[in-house]
């Protein structure tokens, strides 16, 4: 038996409407808090939009009787953000800005064309002075496997010029990014389950698997192993962020293959399996909760204990949404830990 205190997912796509309603149980029942990403169809570019979305999530959570679940909100960084807007966000307890380079991933059409210009530098300065956290989808538009590495220069520039601004390398996927955590006091990271256990071969090695296609793209076995090792170590600069990103099957097959892995249904059982396999269960609590509470200075975490028991079961093959469906990560595979209801 394993008991986890307040599991927290610091990077999740909960979507809206019918998809939100159908996928929220996987997070709201088993996690105490989740950082909801702002790349919705209408991106959450200001406080009001983020607060409306928070209400939508909370309403759905209440319908599920999940009263002990805190959505943590973020604002989609854009050049029109002002100091007043950030002051307003802060009053509403929103302290995270999410930076998407334009065109880097799903829902990044409204992202930044140029990451470092006069306007963005001004925003970073205000963000630093108001104690915001800057979460970054760090990818260039170069060769797929080098995109995160190439973005490293920008991480460095921001870290050096704004030493009090906490910067998060979201979904760290390239082993060459790990050095940045050690070189710069103000650089942190989130790590996904899928980057800990898969490589590019899981996307293209035995036929094309669209359900393993995500951004940043899965990399080499060496990258995977280094990321796994970092997560297992419980390093205090790293917290868990699933980047669970559901897409309807029709969109996985159309739209040039939508990027995103829907991992929410398997997260805690699979993490227990991995940490147990490598004899690092003592670090799981840090990775799944404690580090996030410290890095993001999270308050009012609802105090929820989640217990997992050793019991085999098969992951469901799909989740129906109207006339379509979503395929979860590890569909039809056997898990050995089960969450006790
Ligand atoms: C995410 C999505 O679908 O919203 N997709 C993904 O591949 N991870 C966006 C993101 O975080 O990159
Ligand atoms: Zn994401």
């Amino acid at each position: 038996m394993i008991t986890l205190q307040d599991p927290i997912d610091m990077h999740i796509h909960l979507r809206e409407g019918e998809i939100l309603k159908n996928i929220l149980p996987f997070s709201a029942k088993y996690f105490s808090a989740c950082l909801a990403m702002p790349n919705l169809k209408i991106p959450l570019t200001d406080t009001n939009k983020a607060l409306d979305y928070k209400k939508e999530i909370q309403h759905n959570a209440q319908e599920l009787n999940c009263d002990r679940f805190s959505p943590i909100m973020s604002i989609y960084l854009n050049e029109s953000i002002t100091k007043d807007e950030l002051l307003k966000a802060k009053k509403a307890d929103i302290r995270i800005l999410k930076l998407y380079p334009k065109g880097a991933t799903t829902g990044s059409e409204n992202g930044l064309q140029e990451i470092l210009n006069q306007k963005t530098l001004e925003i970073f300065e205000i963000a630093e002075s108001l104690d915001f956290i800057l979460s970054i989808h760090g990818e260039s538009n170069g060769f797929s496997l080098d995109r995160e590495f190439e973005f490293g220069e920008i991480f460095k520039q921001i870290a050096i010029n704004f030493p009090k601004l906490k910067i998060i390398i979201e979904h760290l996927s390239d082993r060459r990014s790990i050095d940045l955590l050690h070189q710069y006091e103000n650089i942190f990271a989130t790590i996904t389950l899928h980057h800990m256990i898969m490589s590019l071969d899981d996307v293209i090695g035995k036929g094309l698997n669209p359900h393993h296609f995500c951004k940043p793209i899965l990399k080499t076995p060496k990258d995977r192993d280094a990321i796994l090792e970092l997560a297992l170590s419980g390093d205090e600069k790293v917290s868990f962020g699933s980047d669970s990103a559901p897409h309807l099957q029709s969109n996985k097959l159309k739209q040039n293959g939508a990027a995103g892995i829907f991992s929410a249904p398997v997260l805690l059982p699979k993490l227990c399996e991995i940490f147990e396999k490598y004899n690092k269960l003592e670090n799981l609590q840090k990775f799944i909760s404690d580090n996030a509470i410290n890095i993001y200075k999270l308050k009012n975490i609802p105090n929820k204990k989640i217990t997992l028991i050793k019991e085999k079961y098969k992951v469901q093959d799909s989740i129906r949404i109207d006339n379509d469906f979503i395929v979860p990560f590890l569909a039809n595979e056997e898990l050995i830990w089960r969450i006790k209801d």
Side-chain angles (χ1 to χ4, degrees), residues 38 75 97 113 116 151 161 193 196 243 264 333:
I75 288 183
L97 289 175
Q113 183 74 53
L116 302 176
F151 201 92
N161 287 303
L193 167 63
M196 287 163 67
D243 198 14
E333 287 187 31

Side-chain angles (χ1 to χ4, degrees), residues 11-13 15 37 39-40 98 100 104-108 137 139 170-171 192 194-195 213-217 242-247 252 258-261:
H11 182 136
I12 191 164
H13 301 273
R15 311 299 192 211
M37 285 294 136
N39 63 333
L40 301 189
K98 177 68 192 280
Y100 291 99
T105 186
T106 308
S108 64
H137 183 117
E139 288 199 283
E170 291 294 337
H171 33 56
T192 75
H194 47 271
H195 291 101
F213 173 57
C214 65
K215 298 293 180 76
I217 193 82
S242 69
D243 198 14
S244 177
H247 288 279
K252 271 281 177 197
I261 296 180

Side-chain angles (χ1 to χ4, degrees), residues 252-274:
K252 271 281 177 197
L253 305 179
K254 283 191 312 207
Q255 281 194 0
N256 300 327
I261 296 180
F262 177 46
S263 53
V266 301
L267 296 171
L268 296 178
K270 195 66 186 177
L271 285 171
C272 284
E273 182 182 326
I274 298 165

Side-chain angles (χ1 to χ4, degrees), residues 118-163:
Q118 202 191 335
K119 189 69 214 160
T120 59
L121 295 176
E122 270 169 37
I123 296 173
F124 297 156
E125 192 174 339
I126 301 166
E128 180 184 40
S129 71
L130 296 176
D131 214 13
F132 271 76
I133 291 174
L134 181 61
S135 293
I136 304 184
H137 183 117
E139 288 199 283
S140 71
N141 52 16
F143 173 61
S144 282
L145 292 178
D146 287 331
R147 286 180 186 176
E148 185 177 299
F149 176 65
E150 287 176 0
F151 201 92
E153 278 310 310
I154 296 182
F155 279 121
K156 287 181 196 171
Q157 288 302 319
I158 305 177
I160 292 167
N161 287 303
F162 306 96

